[in-house]
Short mmCIF file of all heavy atoms in Angstrom, two decimals:
data_model
loop_
_atom_site.label_atom_id
_atom_site.label_comp_id
_atom_site.label_asym_id
_atom_site.label_seq_id
_atom_site.Cartn_x
_atom_site.Cartn_y
_atom_site.Cartn_z
N PHE A 440 20.98 -6.39 -17.09
CA PHE A 440 21.41 -7.62 -16.45
C PHE A 440 20.41 -8.12 -15.50
O PHE A 440 19.39 -7.48 -15.14
CB PHE A 440 22.77 -7.47 -15.84
CG PHE A 440 22.86 -6.57 -14.69
CD1 PHE A 440 22.58 -6.98 -13.44
CD2 PHE A 440 23.16 -5.34 -14.88
CE1 PHE A 440 22.55 -6.15 -12.29
CE2 PHE A 440 23.38 -4.40 -13.79
CZ PHE A 440 23.04 -4.78 -12.39
N ASP A 441 20.61 -9.31 -15.02
CA ASP A 441 19.70 -9.92 -14.04
C ASP A 441 20.51 -10.73 -13.01
O ASP A 441 21.69 -11.09 -13.26
CB ASP A 441 18.67 -10.73 -14.64
CG ASP A 441 19.24 -11.95 -15.47
OD1 ASP A 441 19.82 -11.82 -16.47
OD2 ASP A 441 19.08 -13.06 -14.88
N GLU A 442 19.86 -11.00 -11.92
CA GLU A 442 20.42 -11.93 -10.84
C GLU A 442 19.48 -12.89 -10.36
O GLU A 442 18.33 -12.39 -10.01
CB GLU A 442 21.18 -11.00 -9.68
CG GLU A 442 21.91 -11.84 -8.76
CD GLU A 442 22.72 -11.16 -7.79
OE1 GLU A 442 23.11 -9.92 -8.14
OE2 GLU A 442 23.14 -11.71 -6.76
N SER A 443 19.78 -14.06 -10.05
CA SER A 443 19.00 -15.09 -9.48
C SER A 443 19.75 -15.59 -8.22
O SER A 443 20.92 -15.68 -8.11
CB SER A 443 18.73 -16.26 -10.47
OG SER A 443 18.00 -15.86 -11.54
N VAL A 444 18.86 -15.90 -7.19
CA VAL A 444 19.41 -16.40 -5.95
C VAL A 444 18.57 -17.66 -5.55
O VAL A 444 17.45 -17.85 -6.05
CB VAL A 444 19.29 -15.39 -4.81
CG1 VAL A 444 20.18 -14.13 -5.17
CG2 VAL A 444 17.92 -14.94 -4.60
N ALA A 445 19.14 -18.46 -4.62
CA ALA A 445 18.54 -19.67 -4.31
C ALA A 445 17.31 -19.42 -3.13
O ALA A 445 16.44 -20.39 -3.18
CB ALA A 445 19.60 -20.65 -3.56
N THR A 446 17.43 -18.37 -2.47
CA THR A 446 16.38 -18.23 -1.39
C THR A 446 15.56 -16.96 -1.65
O THR A 446 14.64 -16.96 -2.42
CB THR A 446 16.95 -18.24 -0.09
OG1 THR A 446 18.11 -17.17 -0.08
CG2 THR A 446 17.67 -19.58 0.34
N PHE A 447 16.08 -15.77 -1.19
CA PHE A 447 15.41 -14.50 -1.41
C PHE A 447 16.34 -13.34 -1.78
O PHE A 447 17.48 -13.44 -1.13
CB PHE A 447 14.52 -14.13 -0.25
CG PHE A 447 15.15 -14.23 1.05
CD1 PHE A 447 15.93 -13.06 1.60
CD2 PHE A 447 15.17 -15.33 1.89
CE1 PHE A 447 16.58 -13.07 2.84
CE2 PHE A 447 15.88 -15.35 3.05
CZ PHE A 447 16.60 -14.35 3.50
N PHE A 448 16.12 -12.44 -2.51
CA PHE A 448 16.97 -11.48 -2.82
C PHE A 448 16.57 -10.18 -2.08
O PHE A 448 15.40 -9.83 -1.99
CB PHE A 448 16.93 -11.10 -4.38
CG PHE A 448 17.94 -9.99 -4.76
CD1 PHE A 448 19.20 -10.28 -5.30
CD2 PHE A 448 17.58 -8.61 -4.66
CE1 PHE A 448 20.09 -9.33 -5.72
CE2 PHE A 448 18.50 -7.65 -5.08
CZ PHE A 448 19.67 -7.95 -5.57
N GLU A 449 17.50 -9.46 -1.49
CA GLU A 449 17.24 -8.25 -0.89
C GLU A 449 18.42 -7.27 -1.33
O GLU A 449 19.55 -7.69 -1.39
CB GLU A 449 17.33 -8.30 0.78
CG GLU A 449 16.04 -9.01 1.12
CD GLU A 449 15.78 -8.86 2.67
OE1 GLU A 449 16.78 -9.23 3.49
OE2 GLU A 449 14.78 -8.43 3.09
N SER A 450 18.06 -5.97 -1.42
CA SER A 450 19.00 -4.98 -1.94
C SER A 450 19.56 -4.17 -0.83
O SER A 450 20.12 -2.94 -1.22
CB SER A 450 18.31 -4.13 -3.06
OG SER A 450 17.25 -3.41 -2.49
N GLY A 451 19.36 -4.40 0.37
CA GLY A 451 19.98 -3.69 1.63
C GLY A 451 19.22 -3.98 2.85
O GLY A 451 18.38 -4.90 2.91
N ALA A 452 19.37 -3.12 3.83
CA ALA A 452 18.59 -3.15 5.08
C ALA A 452 17.99 -1.79 5.42
O ALA A 452 18.68 -0.87 5.81
CB ALA A 452 19.71 -3.57 6.19
N GLY A 453 16.72 -1.71 4.99
CA GLY A 453 15.89 -0.48 5.20
C GLY A 453 16.02 0.48 4.25
O GLY A 453 15.46 1.48 4.25
N ARG A 454 16.94 0.26 3.15
CA ARG A 454 16.95 1.13 2.13
C ARG A 454 17.58 0.44 0.88
O ARG A 454 18.46 -0.39 0.97
CB ARG A 454 18.02 2.32 2.30
CG ARG A 454 18.18 3.32 1.36
CD ARG A 454 19.20 4.39 1.71
NE ARG A 454 18.88 5.16 2.84
CZ ARG A 454 18.85 6.43 2.93
NH1 ARG A 454 19.38 7.22 1.95
NH2 ARG A 454 18.58 7.04 4.07
N VAL A 455 17.00 0.73 -0.41
CA VAL A 455 17.39 0.15 -1.53
C VAL A 455 18.83 0.67 -1.88
O VAL A 455 18.96 1.85 -1.93
CB VAL A 455 16.41 0.33 -2.71
CG1 VAL A 455 17.05 0.03 -4.09
CG2 VAL A 455 15.06 -0.36 -2.45
N ASN A 456 19.82 -0.20 -2.25
CA ASN A 456 21.17 0.27 -2.28
C ASN A 456 21.73 0.22 -3.79
O ASN A 456 22.83 0.63 -4.09
CB ASN A 456 22.06 -0.65 -1.50
CG ASN A 456 21.99 -0.30 -0.06
OD1 ASN A 456 21.78 0.95 0.29
ND2 ASN A 456 22.16 -1.28 0.80
N TRP A 457 20.97 -0.10 -4.72
CA TRP A 457 21.42 0.07 -6.21
C TRP A 457 21.20 1.45 -6.57
O TRP A 457 20.12 2.14 -6.28
CB TRP A 457 20.69 -1.01 -7.09
CG TRP A 457 19.42 -0.76 -7.43
CD1 TRP A 457 18.26 -1.46 -6.84
CD2 TRP A 457 18.75 0.08 -8.33
NE1 TRP A 457 17.07 -0.98 -7.38
CE2 TRP A 457 17.30 0.04 -8.34
CE3 TRP A 457 19.24 0.93 -9.28
CZ2 TRP A 457 16.50 0.60 -9.23
CZ3 TRP A 457 18.43 1.64 -10.23
CH2 TRP A 457 17.09 1.56 -9.97
N HIS A 458 22.03 2.06 -7.38
CA HIS A 458 21.82 3.54 -7.84
C HIS A 458 22.43 3.60 -9.20
O HIS A 458 23.48 2.92 -9.67
CB HIS A 458 22.64 4.41 -6.88
CG HIS A 458 21.93 4.49 -5.60
ND1 HIS A 458 20.78 5.15 -5.32
CD2 HIS A 458 22.42 3.99 -4.49
CE1 HIS A 458 20.45 4.98 -4.13
NE2 HIS A 458 21.48 4.24 -3.50
N VAL A 459 21.94 4.51 -10.04
CA VAL A 459 22.43 4.91 -11.24
C VAL A 459 23.72 5.84 -10.98
O VAL A 459 23.59 6.79 -10.29
CB VAL A 459 21.51 5.59 -12.11
CG1 VAL A 459 22.06 5.94 -13.54
CG2 VAL A 459 20.21 4.72 -12.36
N LEU A 460 24.78 5.60 -11.78
CA LEU A 460 25.91 6.60 -11.80
C LEU A 460 26.00 7.24 -13.14
O LEU A 460 26.63 6.68 -14.08
CB LEU A 460 27.12 5.78 -11.66
CG LEU A 460 27.13 4.89 -10.27
CD1 LEU A 460 28.57 4.14 -10.13
CD2 LEU A 460 26.93 5.84 -9.01
N PRO A 461 25.11 8.28 -13.31
CA PRO A 461 24.94 8.73 -14.63
C PRO A 461 26.30 9.36 -15.33
O PRO A 461 26.42 9.30 -16.52
CB PRO A 461 23.89 9.91 -14.50
CG PRO A 461 24.08 10.21 -13.12
CD PRO A 461 24.36 8.97 -12.40
N ALA A 462 27.15 9.96 -14.60
CA ALA A 462 28.20 10.54 -15.13
C ALA A 462 29.26 9.53 -15.87
O ALA A 462 29.87 9.88 -16.92
CB ALA A 462 29.22 11.09 -13.96
N THR A 463 29.17 8.32 -15.36
CA THR A 463 30.02 7.31 -16.18
C THR A 463 29.23 6.13 -16.71
O THR A 463 29.66 5.16 -17.12
CB THR A 463 31.08 6.66 -15.08
OG1 THR A 463 30.20 6.19 -13.94
CG2 THR A 463 32.11 7.58 -14.62
N ASN A 464 27.87 6.45 -16.83
CA ASN A 464 26.92 5.31 -17.23
C ASN A 464 27.09 4.04 -16.76
O ASN A 464 27.25 2.97 -17.41
CB ASN A 464 27.11 5.22 -18.93
CG ASN A 464 25.85 4.77 -19.52
OD1 ASN A 464 24.77 5.08 -19.13
ND2 ASN A 464 25.98 3.99 -20.68
N GLU A 465 27.20 3.91 -15.41
CA GLU A 465 27.26 2.77 -14.63
C GLU A 465 26.17 2.56 -13.63
O GLU A 465 25.30 3.40 -13.40
CB GLU A 465 28.56 2.83 -13.77
CG GLU A 465 29.85 2.85 -14.60
CD GLU A 465 31.04 3.09 -13.78
OE1 GLU A 465 30.92 3.78 -12.61
OE2 GLU A 465 32.20 2.79 -14.24
N ILE A 466 26.09 1.24 -13.11
CA ILE A 466 25.06 1.08 -12.13
C ILE A 466 25.88 0.58 -10.92
O ILE A 466 26.81 -0.36 -11.00
CB ILE A 466 24.14 -0.03 -12.65
CG1 ILE A 466 23.17 0.52 -13.53
CG2 ILE A 466 23.44 -0.79 -11.46
CD1 ILE A 466 22.10 1.33 -12.85
N LEU A 467 25.51 0.95 -9.66
CA LEU A 467 26.00 0.50 -8.42
C LEU A 467 25.05 -0.56 -8.00
O LEU A 467 23.78 -0.15 -7.83
CB LEU A 467 26.18 1.61 -7.47
CG LEU A 467 26.70 1.23 -6.14
CD1 LEU A 467 28.12 1.00 -6.18
CD2 LEU A 467 26.51 2.43 -5.04
#
Side-chain angles (χ1 to χ4, degrees):
F440 64 84
D441 63 288
E442 181 169 346
S443 295
V444 298
T446 54
F447 52 86
F448 183 94
E449 288 191 307
S450 61
R454 182 185 295 228
V455 170
N456 283 328
W457 69 264
H458 294 286
V459 180
L460 307 177
T463 53
N464 204 34
E465 296 173 337
I466 283 288
L467 185 69

